[in-house]
């Protein structure tokens, strides 16, 4: 086996040195009844060539987003990632390192985490950020739990503009931990009255902007009312590039900001691994879940970095920990940080403007088609259209023509008649004029 | 005379000289100091060529950003150099033995990376039409089949994002199963040697944790389990147990523990962090477990990436299978179906909810399956055997000098020492670890498990050659002898040779600095200006 360095001679010599006559003597503690006598019922080893052939065959059954005009967003976005990013994250010293428990020999990881935390804090307009979460959806669940710790209340109000799968994560967690969740109905246009749902028992209000439907939400009045009632505003985003162009949640008064960072540096990967961004105010720092990297000095007075505030964490506090998390998305956070370094503020702003400009063009083209209505007035690179027939059927018909057209809302919100004809479409910098023209022309035909 | 001396010395040299030049840059040859991005980047520099959109008309409402962000940029060559230099301050498994017990730092084959980046896997969207991702659904199903076969279970939840997330998933399924049966037990039993994630997960879901003692031999005390069950009759939801346990030992009474738990109408959650010791040797399902997460990054070699991402699918027994969260792949006569919402459920399927948006860590699924296919059933068993053999080889190489808290006996894939061999030497466990750094090793897991004073948990994994183990053992023997000889300076000031000397963790925690703050420009007074 090419990955195993021991030869049979080594094994025999080592068993003799250990003082046993066979390898099974070392497994003697396993109850006899449960000890496997032969091999499990699975194929035996394959050569590198055979593994590649098998996996390439499976990959070939999928339509790669980059091979077609592609307009799906809804929480995951196809952006161009510079080649430098993937090259750097594949360096052995990053890729095959572990959690930086020994800071003297993991300053590479620790310094990029510190850079990551700073970038995230600045982007979101918050004072502190952690070293990343699993993804935006689990980060949202953790934010709700954190709000419960801070406010000592347990009733969360969820906007109807939150990604339905994010909502499901929060509801699943809350239902089983005995917390209450008030989920408002789906809100494609951002006109819901969330203020009316806030009362003196509310722990937090969870609002996504731009919303799942693409609508940019004014967070300021929500933050004000929430805070007046002793509740926290948790601002969520799924498209981090939007922060290059629209006002940060922090500037609008959010208490916790959580979002998906996949757009910067990370591929689509069919949903994971992604990178959750999590930021808050200084005063809530010790209630924040996840890993934190902090600055310090070494014995010679040189600046260095360490994991810090671990007294909040499971390995010390056990059942009293702020969360059970004992990892982050280190490598995805690195990809984020490298891509963001390459962009810089100048590049991020331009990238955001291109995204928005492409979405504006797409909106114009789609809204020119008879029977198609665009629902959002203020949006970034994604918006919702109402079609004259079920969106699911339209998307399948367009897929058959080689165009991946967007997400039918009914896929995540089945059985709701008022949502059946809604399609969420996204346009990023990868879409060309030809892509948009092909989409519009095909949609026109399918609807005709 | 050849110009190329192939590294042989051309003269006697001054190897004995203690002279160390103080450099102007602070660099030490290949060991370079690297400032923070925020100290070298500029707000108007970008390493990405993007053109301004023509005829830009914003439809942002009143939401356009009004202030700057403060994100400096670097050109592409500067970016490359910045992160390459940072990388060189990192230890990594590709650079040397990384014996972190319970973390399983094994070789990460690059074939896995290559396959995960094939556009048909890496460049597919979780919400593009299911008709266009049939291969992805098939891959998830195939990986699930491998996991179920290797564990002897009948269902698997693929979406948990990491080990602790998998624990949460398993315990949520257990809670849902109790609720469905009209029960509401409040107590979860957790051995004192468990990973901290176990009690944290139980508490997260509103359970009360009752700690179970270990026996003298380092394994869970069956009598204590039975007593806890009796003391809390009718109120036990589950036991969370790690097997092989964190002392590097297989829980011999595991089947009796499972039987006692099941008799109490409770469930057996197994922490699968150490599954890599027994793959192909025993199946957790045959041992009586109801749920177990599998750390794909440990057992099946997806790279740890400086602390993540992980992936923690959870295998489930028949009794818990109906409660597996959304989404899941269902096999039917017409092929594979991806079930994403409750609207797609059939009778008997009662998912407790959803662990994450989308389908889980697909990128890790590809890597893990590539690893499994490469090894096959025979190679996976061999890997477990070699991991256990290597750990025992290290044990016998050190057990006369270092102390085994539970006496001389075979261990599984990791060997646990305690620090009593350092007694009266003036060297602490931490000092000992830091001295290993100067020898070019990443230290072992320290101070865990908590049940042992000054624990040192060594897991060499199957990736190490005999020669590498021999050198490691010889190094540790030299360190132990050095400590016993009273050469404390080698330890208390260590590391001397790493990119940083010992870092002040207390200072970092006392006044935390989590983000970079731009320096405030010094006030220019008229006097200073003159």
């Amino acid at each position: 086996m090419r990955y195993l360095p021991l030869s049979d001679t080594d094994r025999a010599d080592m068993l003799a040195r250990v003082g046993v006559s066979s390898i099974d003597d070392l497994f003697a503690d396993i109850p006899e009844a449960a000890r496997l006598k032969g091999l499990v019922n699975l194929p035996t080893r394959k050569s590198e060539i055979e593994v590649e052939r098998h996996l390439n065959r499976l990959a070939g059954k999928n339509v790669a987003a980059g091979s077609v005009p592609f307009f799906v967003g809804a929480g995951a976005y196809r952006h161009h990632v510079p080649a430098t990013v993937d090259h750097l994250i594949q360096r052995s010293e990053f890729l095959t390192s572990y959690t930086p428990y020994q800071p003297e020999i993991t300053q590479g990881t620790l310094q990029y985490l510190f850079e990551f935390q700073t970038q995230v804090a600045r982007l979101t307009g918050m004072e502190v950020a952690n070293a990343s979460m699993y993804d935006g959806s689990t980060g949202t669940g953790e934010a709700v739990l954190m709000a419960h710790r801070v406010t000592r209340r347990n009733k969360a109000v969820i906007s109807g503009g939150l990604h339905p799968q994010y909502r499901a994560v929060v509801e699943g967690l809350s239902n089983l931990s005995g917390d209450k969740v008030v989920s408002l109905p789906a809100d494609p246009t951002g006109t819901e009255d969330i203020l009316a749902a806030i009362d003196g028992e509310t722990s937090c209000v969870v609002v996504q902007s731009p919303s799942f439907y693409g609508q940019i939400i004014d967070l300021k009045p929500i933050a004000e009312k929430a805070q007046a009632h002793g509740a926290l505003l948790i601002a969520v985003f799924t498209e981090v590039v939007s922060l290059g162009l629209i006002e940060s949640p922090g500037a609008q008064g959010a208490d916790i900001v959580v979002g998906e960072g996949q757009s910067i540096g990370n591929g689509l990967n069919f949903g994971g691994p992604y990178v959750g961004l999590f930021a808050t105010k200084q005063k809530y720092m010790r209630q924040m879940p996840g890993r934190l990297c902090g600055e310090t000095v070494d014995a010679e007075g040189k600046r260095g970095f360490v994991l810090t505030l671990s007294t909040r964490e499971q390995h010390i506090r056990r059942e009293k920990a702020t969360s059970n998390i004992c990892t982050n998305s280190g490598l995805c956070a690195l990809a984020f940080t490298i891509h963001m370094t390459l962009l810089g503020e100048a590049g991020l702003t331009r990238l955001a403007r291109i995204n928005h400009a492409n979405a504006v063009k797409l909106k114009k083209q789609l809204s020119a088609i008879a029977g198609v209505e665009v629902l959002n007035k203020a949006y970034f690179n994604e918006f919702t259209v109402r079609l004259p027939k079920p969106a699911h059927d339209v998307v399948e018909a367009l897929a058959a023509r080689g165009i991946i057209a967007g997400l039918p809302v009914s896929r995540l919100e089945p059985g709701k008649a008022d949502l059946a004809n809604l399609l969420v479409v996204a346009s990023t910098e990868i879409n060309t004029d030809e892509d948009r023209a092909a989409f519009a022309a095909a949609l026109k035909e399918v609807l005709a | 005379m050849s110009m190329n001396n192939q590294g042989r010395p051309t003269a006697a040299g001054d190897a004995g000289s203690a002279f160390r030049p103080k450099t102007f840059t602070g660099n030490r040859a290949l060991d370079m100091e690297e400032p923070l991005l925020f100290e070298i980047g500029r707000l108007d520099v970008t390493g990405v060529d993007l053109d301004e959109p023509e005829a830009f008309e914003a439809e942002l409402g009143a939401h356009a950003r009004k202030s700057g962000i403060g994100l400096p940029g670097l050109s592409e060559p500067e970016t490359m150099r910045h992160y390459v230099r940072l990388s060189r301050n990192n230890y990594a498994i590709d650079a040397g033995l990384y014996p972190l017990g319970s973390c399983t730092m094994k070789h990460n084959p690059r074939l896995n990376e290559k396959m995960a980046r094939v556009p048909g896997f890496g460049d597919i969207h979780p919400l593009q039409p299911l008709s266009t991702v049939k291969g992805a659904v098939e891959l998830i199903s195939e990986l699930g089949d491998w996991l179920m076969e290797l564990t002897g279970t009948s269902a698997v939840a693929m979406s948990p994002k990491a080990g602790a997330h998998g624990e949460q998933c398993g315990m949520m399924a257990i809670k849902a199963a109790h609720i469905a049966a009209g029960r509401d037990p409040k107590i979860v039993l957790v051995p004192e040697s468990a990973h901290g994630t176990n009690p944290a997960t139980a508490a997260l879901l509103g359970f009360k944790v009752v700690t179970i003692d270990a026996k003298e031999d380092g394994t869970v005390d069956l009598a204590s389990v039975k007593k806890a069950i009796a003391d809390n009759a009718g109120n036990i939801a589950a036991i969370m147990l790690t097997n092989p346990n964190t002392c590097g030992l297989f829980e011999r009474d595991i089947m009796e523990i499972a039987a006692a738990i099941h008799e109490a109408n409770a469930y057996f959650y197994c922490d699968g962090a150490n599954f890599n010791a027994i793959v192909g040797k025993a199946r957790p399902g045959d041992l009586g477990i109801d749920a177990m997460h599998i750390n794909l990054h440990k057992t099946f070699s997806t790279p740890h990436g400086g602390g993540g991402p992980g992936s923690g699918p959870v295998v489930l027994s028949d009794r818990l299978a109906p409660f597996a969260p959304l989404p899941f792949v269902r096999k039917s006569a017409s092929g594979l179906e991806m079930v994403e919402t409750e609207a797609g459920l059939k009778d008997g399927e009662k998912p407790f909810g959803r662990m994450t948006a989308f389908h889980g860590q697909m990128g890790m699924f590809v890597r893990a399956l590539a690893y499994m296919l490469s090894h096959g059933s025979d190679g996976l068993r061999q890997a477990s055997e070699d991991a256990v053999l290597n750990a025992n080889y290290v044990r016998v190489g050190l057990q006369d000098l270092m102390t085994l808290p539970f006496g001389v006996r075979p261990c599984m894939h990791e060997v646990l020492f305690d620090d009593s061999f350092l007694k009266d030497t003036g060297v602490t466990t931490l000092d000992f670890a830091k001295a290993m750094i100067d020898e070019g090793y990443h230290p072992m897991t320290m101070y865990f498990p908590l049940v042992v004073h000054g624990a040192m948990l060594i897991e060499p994994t199957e990736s190490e050659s005999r020669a590498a183990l021999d050198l490691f053992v010889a190094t540790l023997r030299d360190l132990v002898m050095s400590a016993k000889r009273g050469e404390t300076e080698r330890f208390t000031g260590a590391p001397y040779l790493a990119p940083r000397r010992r870092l002040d963790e207390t200072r970092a925690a006392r006044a935390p600095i989590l983000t970079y703050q731009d320096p405030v420009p010094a006030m220019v007074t008229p006097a200073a200006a003159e």
Side-chain angles (χ1 to χ4, degrees), chain A residues 11 24 61-62 65 76 78 92 102 104-105 109 122 135 243 245 270 296 303 327 342 345 356 411, chain B residues 47 59 65 70-71 87 90-91 94 120 123-125 128 135 138 281 307 340 356 386 409 434 500 504:
Chain A
R11 291 181 184 116
D24 282 332
K61 295 183 180 181
N62 302 323
R78 186 167 196 278
S92 287
Q102 298 288 341
E104 297 85 0
I105 47 169
T109 297
R122 291 183 179 190
D135 69 4
L243 297 179
L245 202 55
F270 201 48
T296 187
R303 177 172 66 191
T327 188
L342 283 165
E345 183 147 344
H356 185 53
R411 178 157 166 192
Chain B
E59 299 203 353
R65 191 181 259 280
L71 292 172
S87 75
N90 258 14
Y91 196 90
D94 284 353
D123 191 26
I124 51 174
H125 191 288
Q128 70 187 66
E138 197 176 325
K281 302 297 287 182
E340 294 179 302
T356 176
D386 285 1
R409 59 177 288 198
K434 298 301 182 189
R500 283 291 178 272
D504 187 347

Side-chain angles (χ1 to χ4, degrees), chain B residues 128-182:
Chain B
Q128 70 187 66
L130 288 165
S131 58
T132 65
V133 289
K134 287 186 171 160
V137 175
E138 197 176 325
L139 183 133
I140 291 173
S141 174
E142 186 174 338
L143 178 62
D145 287 345
W146 276 76
L147 294 175
M148 288 186 282
E149 185 63 36
L150 289 171
T151 55
T153 53
S154 54
V156 59
M158 295 296 288
S159 64
K161 293 259 176 185
H165 206 221
E167 286 174 27
Q168 192 177 316
C169 174
M171 294 306 289
M172 285 167 87
I174 286 170
K175 187 151 187 170
H178 279 300
I179 291 171

Side-chain angles (χ1 to χ4, degrees), chain B residues 470-490:
Chain B
D470 284 340
L471 183 60
F472 178 67
V473 165
T475 307
L476 288 191
R477 293 185 70 85
D478 183 69
L479 283 168
V480 175
M481 293 310 292
S482 177
K484 287 183 190 284
R485 282 195 302 268
E487 296 164 8
T488 50
E489 201 185 353
R490 182 176 177 187

